[in-house]
Amino acid sequence: MAEEAAVRAQGEVVRRLKQDKADPDEIAKEVAKLLEMKAQLGADEGKHKFVLKTPKDFDIAGQFDPMIPDAECLKIVHEILSDLQLGDFLIKVNDRRILDGMFAVCGVPDSKFRTICSSVDKLDKMPWEEVRSEMVGEKGLSPEAADRIGEYVQLHGGLDLIERLLQDAKLSQNKLAKEGLGDMKLLFEYLTLFGITGKISFDLSLARGLDYYTGVIFEAVLLQQENDHVEEPVSVGSVAGGGRYDGLVGMFDPKGRKVPCVGVSIGIERIFSILEQRVEASEEKIRTTETQVLVASAQKKLLEERLKLISELWDAGIKAEVLYKKNPKLLNQLQYCEDTGIPLVAIVGEQELKDGVVKLRVVATREEVNVRRENLVEEIRMRTRRP
């Protein structure tokens, strides 16, 4: 559809701006365009669940009970990163209401909330001392307010930390912070039911600088394991991020209807880069096909027999290929499997046809075994079944 193509194109614009670390206002403007296009694509007056999936994004729009869609987004991120086996990872979560409430009780003027938020957002790359220096020296925040912020933004944990902050003498008196902490507690309860809290950290330093976030925010990072010189795992790069943006899409509705949204963006380019580096380091051959078996022949004039056999395999749901040549050399057929990563070769020859068997070759080990033709499908399934 033309509308979906336009959404993808606008998504590329946003991706390039983020990659180039463009001005936040420019990014926000282009993101707003993207979200307006998504909302138009799935307009449903906010009554039903609308999920838009692109190669990089997952968004849920609609009016629902608190934290259920948010928990689902985090579950999806957890699933993706677990299945890709990129290494150890951590999903950091926070809430813009908690941040704003924290700034208020620490004495940050309303006019400086966003600029101080952008400083806090640098804590994953800079030590607290440098961030504090920027707040005080460049942004004019009082040293006392900066020190009070420092007491909070270096905290991270789970339900225990949330409970502790709900009893905090200052934060508990701030309406925004109290709302945010209440929802964060509910979120962690749902994440506990999903069984993923071991990879989730409530991190008060997480800020995500864009202004359109209104509630929960999150970011997934890959971790470098601890060693003799590092006390705990450290982040080596963000691979996903997102959050709740309840006020943005409704700005573009001519009837002024509110469209609550939560979504996540997966860093596809970053993930591909990591996978490529891993393959290069291991010198592992990349499998470029899902084909389970190549149907080959050992002698000439056996094209008809190859086609009969591959038809049987296709009918049984086996992913099979055959070279598009009448009389390919066996060596070339085996080399094709080596190059593409096809794990098995089903070889038909004159003797095999007489005996009613197919010679099944395991490409990796070069093991060969004769299999009764009627048992071939089950043998292929057994040998290609994933653990």
Side-chain angles (χ1 to χ4, degrees), residues 45-263:
E45 301 192 7
K47 294 179 182 176
H48 305 288
K49 181 175 181 179
F50 162 56
V51 177
L52 175 66
K53 298 179 186 178
T54 73
K56 297 170 192 155
D57 300 323
F58 182 97
D59 299 272
I60 300 173
Q63 189 75 51
F64 305 106
D65 288 339
M67 295 297 107
I68 301 174
D70 312 61
E72 183 180 351
C73 283
L74 290 168
K75 173 66 172 172
I76 288 166
V77 175
H78 184 278
E79 249 179 55
I80 290 171
L81 297 183
S82 297
D83 288 350
L84 286 174
Q85 298 181 350
L86 298 172
D88 198 15
F89 66 89
L90 184 68
I91 305 173
K92 301 178 182 180
V93 297
N94 199 1
D95 194 295
R96 288 301 284 267
R97 293 167 297 175
I98 298 173
L99 276 171
D100 288 351
M102 177 185 71
F103 290 151
V105 302
C106 288
V108 179
D110 291 355
S111 60
K112 292 187 182 293
F113 272 23
R114 293 287 76 88
T115 187
I116 296 302
C117 187
S118 68
S119 293
V120 170
D121 202 32
K122 298 175 183 177
L123 277 169
D124 61 334
K125 301 178 182 69
M126 293 165 53
W128 165 246
E129 291 75 17
E130 291 182 23
V131 172
R132 181 188 184 280
S133 178
E134 179 183 292
M135 288 178 175
V136 175
E138 297 179 24
K139 301 190 173 178
L141 187 66
S142 72
E144 296 78 16
D147 289 338
R148 285 192 287 269
I149 290 172
E151 294 174 9
Y152 287 112
V153 296
Q154 296 179 79
L155 299 174
H156 54 86
L159 266 174
D160 289 347
L161 176 58
I162 297 168
E163 294 283 9
R164 200 168 86 213
L165 292 176
L166 280 167
Q167 303 304 317
D168 184 273
K170 296 176 183 176
L171 285 180
S172 62
Q173 300 303 310
N174 181 276
K175 182 182 176 184
L176 274 178
K178 195 172 181 180
E179 286 178 2
L181 287 166
D183 278 350
M184 188 62 65
K185 180 181 177 182
L186 186 60
L187 176 65
F188 265 77
E189 289 172 356
Y190 293 150
L191 297 177
T192 300
L193 295 175
F194 286 155
I196 63 173
T197 50
K199 294 291 186 183
I200 310 287
S201 173
F202 172 40
D203 192 325
L204 284 163
S205 71
L206 180 64
R208 294 191 66 80
L210 297 176
D211 284 348
Y212 56 77
Y213 288 119
T214 57
V216 68
I217 50 177
F218 42 85
E219 182 174 80
V221 296
L222 297 184
L223 299 176
Q224 176 179 295
Q225 283 304 308
E226 65 263 68
N227 53 42
D228 293 339
H229 307 291
V230 182
E231 293 183 359
E232 60 182 44
V234 295
S235 166
V236 292
S238 171
V239 289
R244 177 159 288 280
Y245 50 100
D246 285 348
L248 188 58
V249 175
M251 292 168 54
F252 306 101
D253 190 317
K255 296 183 180 179
R257 291 168 295 194
K258 187 178 180 182
V259 185
C261 301
V262 63

Side-chain angles (χ1 to χ4, degrees), residues 232-288:
E232 60 182 44
V234 295
S235 166
V236 292
S238 171
V239 289
R244 177 159 288 280
Y245 50 100
D246 285 348
L248 188 58
V249 175
M251 292 168 54
F252 306 101
D253 190 317
K255 296 183 180 179
R257 291 168 295 194
K258 187 178 180 182
V259 185
C261 301
V262 63
V264 60
S265 179
I266 306 297
I268 296 295
E269 292 81 7
R270 170 77 173 146
I271 290 172
F272 279 176
S273 174
I274 292 166
L275 292 174
E276 286 170 359
Q277 290 172 20
R278 178 181 295 175
V279 169
E280 287 174 8
S282 66
E283 298 183 353
E284 178 186 347
K285 188 165 287 186
I286 301 175
R287 186 175 177 186
T288 59

Side-chain angles (χ1 to χ4, degrees), residues 297-302 347-357:
S297 56
Q299 292 100 21
K300 293 182 178 180
K301 299 182 179 180
L302 289 175
I347 302 171
V348 290
E350 292 174 0
Q351 189 60 48
E352 284 80 12
L353 290 170
K354 287 179 185 176
D355 296 343
V357 299

